[in-house]
Amino acid sequence: EIEKLRRSIIENLRMILQTPRGSVCHLPDFGMPSITKLYYESDRSLDPLRAQLRALILKYEPRIAEVRIPEPDFDESKMHLLLRIYITIKDVQQGEFLITEFSTTGWTKVEFEKDIS
């Protein structure tokens, strides 16, 4: 049962994180903001992106109770971003560890890497 829940959450997160922000007319804040635009508008800081992703996940995935996004691995020369997203699923005792990768070409990967005890 928990495995079905994980798969369902992953599918929803993929949809959220692979959709460019502004693509869904009736939900203008749904989807990924422009990583490049946010990065350069915030003096090359990824903190605004982390804050927006946390808020986005909590808003559009109601089965998640908590999201924590530590400092990401970022290769500025390739504009490749690796984020670890720690989540707590509501009514599930153990935390979950997601790994996500983004590039400026629009490629996104989202998967459960391992459980956190």
Side-chain angles (χ1 to χ4, degrees), residues 12-115:
N12 192 39
L13 289 175
R14 281 186 183 133
M15 183 176 58
I16 293 166
L17 299 175
Q18 290 177 340
T19 301
R21 180 161 293 167
S23 297
V24 181
C25 294
H26 63 286
L27 299 171
D29 66 337
F30 182 87
M32 275 295 292
S34 168
I35 295 170
T36 306
K37 182 178 177 186
L38 267 176
Y39 179 67
Y40 288 113
E41 285 179 352
S42 62
D43 295 325
R44 297 182 176 210
S45 171
L46 292 169
D47 291 339
L49 174 67
R50 290 167 49 208
Q52 284 190 29
L53 285 179
R54 183 181 180 284
L56 180 70
I57 290 168
L58 288 171
K59 181 174 183 177
Y60 288 106
E61 181 42 83
R63 298 169 291 185
I64 293 177
E66 184 181 340
V67 176
R68 187 172 57 85
I69 305 173
E71 192 66 34
D73 295 326
F74 180 57
D75 183 341
E76 186 177 18
S77 66
K78 295 179 183 173
M79 291 304 282
H80 184 269
L81 177 64
L82 174 68
L83 287 173
R84 287 167 186 85
I85 302 175
Y86 296 89
I87 65 168
T88 302
I89 299 172
K90 291 178 182 175
D91 303 324
V92 175
Q93 299 252 337
Q94 63 193 30
E96 301 289 345
F97 174 48
L98 297 177
I99 189 136
T100 60
E101 293 181 59
F102 303 96
S103 76
T104 56
T105 61
W107 178 81
T108 304
K109 171 181 146 183
V110 181
E111 62 187 31
F112 278 110
E113 185 71 18
K114 67 176 182 176
D115 294 339

